[in-house]
């Protein structure tokens, strides 16, 4: 029923806003934890300061600033690949089992879809996981402990800003589609309009944004 959909959309929009707010606290606590770990690293490595003007430290800091973007890109592309596999499986079952007919050949195979999600969640995280492990080792052994500190500082600062941006922008894009579908922009700008088509694209990007 239309009234049920209207209520659930409102609750979903509220949930997106609440999640974005909660993620802000989670991101803030993660940054503070990372700062404590950075201070512990400086103490163990015997570093009094990290000289950002040193060439190897600056290079490592720039590389560290790139890492959150690479990691986020890999995970979002993984979401897209897993979604494509899921769509193909659903289409296959519709086609082979004739699920849209009055007499389907069998019940849908839900386990196959769950298996796709489970397999993708494990396999697709191999490369990002290796990247997160090898990057500090590479910087530390090749450029030294001070450069590793620069890498950690770069990753911490850019990762914090990227996390806040993705959490808020993703929820905003998702809510924008619901706002348009509720005819809040006007009845001529609801479903089927160019504004709604743009909002659907934004929501498609926003979902992996806010969940990554």
């Amino acid at each position: 029923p239309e009234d049920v959909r209207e209520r659930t959309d409102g609750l979903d929009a509220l949930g997106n806003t609440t999640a974005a707010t909660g993620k802000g606290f989670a991101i803030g606590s993660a940054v503070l934890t990372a700062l404590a770990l950075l201070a512990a690293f400086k103490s163990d490595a015997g570093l009094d300061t990290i000289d950002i003007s040193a060439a190897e430290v600056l290079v490592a800091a720039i590389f560290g600033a790139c890492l959150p973007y690479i990691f986020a890109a890999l995970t979002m592309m993984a979401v897209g690949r897993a979604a494509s596999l899921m769509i193909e499986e659903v289409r296959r079952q519709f086609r082979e089992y004739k699920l849209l007919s009055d007499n389907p050949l069998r019940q849908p195979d839900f386990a196959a879809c769950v298996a796709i999600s489970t397999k993708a969640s494990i396999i697709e995280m191999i490369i990002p996981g290796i990247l997160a492990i090898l990057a500090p080792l590479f910087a530390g052994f090749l450029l030294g402990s001070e450069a590793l500190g620069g890498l950690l500082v770069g990753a911490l600062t850019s990762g914090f800003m990227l996390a806040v941006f993705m959490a808020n922008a993703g929820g905003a894009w998702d809510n924008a589609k619901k706002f348009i579908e509720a005819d809040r922009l006007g009845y001529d700008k609801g479903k089927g309009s160019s504004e709604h088509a743009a909002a659907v694209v934004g929501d498609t990007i926003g979902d992996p944004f806010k969940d990554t």
Side-chain angles (χ1 to χ4, degrees):
E2 190 65 28
D3 61 328
V4 175
R5 178 60 186 268
E6 183 178 349
R7 292 174 185 174
T8 54
D9 282 349
L11 291 172
D12 190 17
L14 178 62
N16 288 334
T17 306
T18 306
T21 305
K23 286 174 185 176
F25 289 103
I27 292 167
S29 65
V31 170
L32 292 175
T33 303
L35 283 173
L37 292 173
L38 180 60
F41 164 74
K42 283 183 59 182
S43 176
D44 288 344
L47 296 174
D48 294 326
T49 59
I50 296 177
D51 185 8
I52 197 66
S53 63
E56 66 274 9
V57 178
L58 181 60
V59 169
I62 294 174
F63 178 60
C66 294
L67 283 178
Y69 294 90
I70 298 172
F71 192 90
L74 289 172
T75 52
M76 283 193 291
M77 288 191 296
V79 171
R81 285 191 292 268
S84 298
L85 292 173
M86 188 77 70
I87 291 171
E88 288 301 320
E89 174 62 23
V90 171
R91 287 176 175 173
R92 182 192 68 81
Q93 292 191 27
F94 275 131
R95 183 177 59 253
E96 295 183 3
Y97 303 157
K98 302 186 185 304
L99 296 177
L100 297 179
S101 66
D102 294 332
N103 297 305
L105 298 180
R106 54 167 293 181
Q107 290 295 315
D109 186 5
F110 304 111
C113 296
V114 174
I116 290 173
S117 296
T118 305
K119 184 178 179 182
S121 66
I122 297 173
I123 294 177
E124 294 288 358
M125 284 305 296
I126 292 176
I127 295 178
I130 291 175
L131 176 67
I133 294 171
L134 292 185
L137 294 176
F138 172 79
F141 283 112
L142 191 66
L143 301 176
S145 59
E146 192 173 3
L148 175 55
L151 181 141
L152 296 176
V153 171
L156 174 62
T157 51
S158 72
F160 170 61
M161 301 307 297
L162 180 65
V164 173
F165 163 67
M166 291 177 68
N168 288 279
W173 277 330
D174 195 352
N175 286 352
K177 183 172 77 76
K178 293 179 175 59
F179 188 85
I180 291 175
E181 289 177 347
D183 296 325
R184 299 292 178 83
L185 287 181
Y187 292 101
D188 58 332
K189 296 181 180 180
K191 289 185 178 180
S193 65
S194 58
E195 289 84 358
H196 182 255
V200 169
V201 175
D203 181 45
T204 305
I205 303 170
D207 274 332
F209 240 59
K210 64 186 176 65
D211 294 331
T212 300

